[in-house]
Amino acid sequence: MELNNDEIRRYSRHLILPEVGLAGQKKIRAASVLCIGAGGLGSPIAMYLAAAGIGKLGIVDFDDVELSNLQRQLLHGTQDVGRPKTESAQETLRRLDPHVEVVLHNTRLTSQNALDLLRPYDIVVDGTDNFPTRYLTNDACVLLGKPNVYGSIFRFEGQASVFAPRLGGPCYRCLYPEPPPPGMVPSCAEGGVLGVLPGIIGVIQATEILKLVLGKGTSLMGRLLLFDALEMKFHELKLRRDPQCPICGEHPSITKLIDYDMFCGISPQVSPTAMNPDEVTVQEMKRALDDPSLGIKVIDVREANECQIARIEGVPLVPLSELAQRFAELDPKQSYYIHCKMGGRSMQALQFLRQQGFQHVKSVKGGINAWSVEIDPSVPRY
């Protein structure tokens, strides 16, 4: 692959690096990378790889752009709200470098399509935000012998590594053999994330990809890099390949892709209109608030800072983080409807209270966000 005069000017700051040079830039132009996710991590990963001149960049995502994405997902702008993230990403990347081939995969990564999607690419980068896709990405990379450049973020903390058993390193399962129980680790939508954090972790991932392509430097393979933005500190943990690992160990028991939702303890997707018997609608919550004779009390298990953003008048706050210390304030014989932001934490609260002997508790499906959409639009969604 030869570089034309425009490309030589574009990549000149690479070319004058002895560690890159003309030969190294040609390697970058010949390389192909698949980015799983076009969100917080995928944005800096894809943008810096495109700017670096990566030859082929695949983007896997099935979501549309939402207003709440824009605080951190720099691939997208205000005008892109409602558009598929892949289309918005492609436009941004083409503006950065029209020489880069951007391949869109506007689909959810599944056990049925993962091997076919990953196979044509040299390197896979994990920009996902959920455990089933993270394990799926890992297992597909191990089965195909692809390096998996990993990153994750939450609140003010992030981590990054390179998983590459074929190169002698561990895989994601060597670090985390089992996923956490469902609901134990809140999503960014529930727990929040500092907007610049995915930029820091994503740039680290992009750096590791370019080092792998160039064959230069010391990679994060065999190391887990931990970052704390509040303390502005990096820490490092040594990782070793687990000889008992079920997919990259000496006697692997996983030889094909599995059902990752089931593995992570996530119930099969149901119709958005289907109701869990432990749930009630926001309309039922409104009836309970409007008619005290029903004998149903409503409690909010979000955190105090969230109530400053949005709240429903007259609903007392008992944060989930304090429920174990404060549940004695509640009456086990009383009927309660429990709400949070979207319904996840209220289900956790329900399960905890049931264990304490509360029999008449229900979780409000969709939480205060559903209340804002269906009952009172003046209540902000966040």
Side-chain angles (χ1 to χ4, degrees):
M1 179 176 291
E2 297 301 322
L3 303 183
N4 61 37
N5 287 347
D6 285 344
E7 289 175 300
I8 288 175
R9 285 197 298 274
R10 178 183 291 271
Y11 309 125
S12 63
R13 299 305 186 270
H14 275 175
L15 301 180
I16 59 178
L17 289 171
E19 295 83 358
V20 181
L22 188 61
Q25 189 62 42
K26 288 180 180 180
K27 288 182 180 179
I28 295 172
R29 294 289 290 120
S32 60
V33 177
L34 182 66
C35 183
I36 313 295
L41 289 171
S43 289
I45 292 167
M47 292 171 75
Y48 272 99
L49 290 180
I54 210 80
K56 178 179 176 182
L57 182 57
I59 307 288
V60 180
D61 205 303
F62 63 95
D63 274 338
D64 294 337
V65 179
E66 298 181 4
L67 195 61
S68 62
N69 299 152
L70 305 183
Q71 162 252 18
R72 65 202 176 281
Q73 300 182 17
L74 301 185
L75 274 171
H76 321 294
T78 304
Q79 72 280 3
D80 297 314
V81 171
R83 297 181 64 200
K85 286 185 178 180
T86 49
E87 293 181 10
S88 172
Q90 185 177 54
E91 286 189 8
T92 300
L93 298 175
R94 281 178 173 167
R95 287 197 298 270
L96 282 172
D97 189 341
H99 300 101
V100 175
E101 179 186 1
V102 180
V103 182
L104 304 186
H105 304 283
N106 193 28
T107 183
R108 183 191 297 270
L109 192 72
T110 68
S111 298
Q112 289 70 44
N113 65 18
L115 294 177
D116 289 336
L117 286 176
L118 271 61
R119 189 174 284 112
Y121 295 89
D122 302 323
I123 297 170
V124 177
V125 57
D126 181 354
T128 62
D129 61 358
N130 65 86
F131 289 101
T133 310
R134 202 164 284 158
Y135 280 97
L136 169 58
T137 300
N138 175 79
D139 291 1
C141 285
V142 174
L143 293 176
L144 292 171
K146 309 281 186 184
N148 172 20
V149 181
Y150 159 76
S152 69
I153 53 171
F154 180 64
R155 293 177 60 82
F156 296 93
E157 298 178 351
Q159 48 185 249
S161 189
V162 174
F163 299 120
R166 181 165 287 188
L167 300 178
C171 79
Y172 181 74
R173 284 181 182 267
C174 296
L175 174 61
Y176 299 115
E178 299 288 338
M184 182 65 69
V185 179
S187 68
C188 288
E190 288 276 356
V193 62
L194 186 68
V196 298
L197 179 65
I200 296 167
I201 300 301
V203 167
I204 290 171
Q205 291 176 272
T207 304
E208 290 300 298
I209 291 168
L210 293 175
K211 286 160 57 182
L212 284 170
V213 170
L214 294 169
K216 298 292 184 180
T218 302
S219 86
L220 280 174
M221 186 171 64
R223 297 183 290 155
L224 180 67
L225 188 66
L226 306 174
F227 174 63
D228 184 334
L230 283 180
E231 298 297 327
M232 196 50 71
K233 288 184 178 179
F234 286 92
H235 300 279
E236 184 179 298
L237 300 177
K238 296 292 184 184
L239 303 181
R240 290 184 175 83
R241 191 168 177 181
D242 180 5
Q244 305 302 316
C245 177
I247 193 163
C248 79
E250 296 173 357
H251 304 287
S253 57
I254 298 173
T255 57
K256 61 181 181 180
L257 300 180
I258 61 175
D259 184 329
Y260 291 89
D261 283 340
M262 182 179 295
F263 173 68
C264 293
I266 298 173
S267 301
Q269 292 289 328
V270 296
S271 166
T273 59
M275 290 294 295
N276 183 313
D278 288 331
E279 289 181 317
V280 294
T281 65
V282 287
Q283 286 81 10
E284 290 174 284
M285 180 171 80
K286 185 176 187 304
R287 283 195 290 272
L289 290 169
D290 291 345
D291 186 358
S293 69
L294 294 174
I296 301 168
K297 294 185 177 181
V298 179
I299 58 174
D300 181 348
V301 294
R302 297 174 302 146
E303 296 302 312
N305 64 299
E306 293 177 86
C307 284
Q308 295 175 11
I309 304 169
R311 62 171 301 179
I312 300 169
E313 193 66 33
V315 176
L317 176 67
V318 184
L320 180 63
S321 60
E322 301 174 12
L323 189 58
Q325 291 77 40
R326 295 181 55 187
F327 74 90
E329 300 173 15
L330 307 176
D331 181 357
K333 298 178 182 179
Q334 172 69 49
S335 294
Y336 291 102
Y337 288 170
I338 310 168
H339 90 78
C340 62
K341 179 185 176 183
M342 296 185 295
R345 284 173 287 176
S346 56
M347 284 298 290
Q348 291 181 56
L350 177 147
Q351 292 162 6
F352 172 79
L353 290 174
R354 288 265 175 90
Q355 293 169 1
Q356 312 310 314
F358 288 72
Q359 297 300 314
H360 310 292
V361 287
K362 297 281 187 178
S363 169
V364 179
K365 183 179 177 68
I368 197 170
N369 276 6
W371 178 275
S372 175
V373 172
E374 300 178 35
I375 305 296
D376 183 1
S378 69
V379 174
R381 279 187 292 155
Y382 63 99

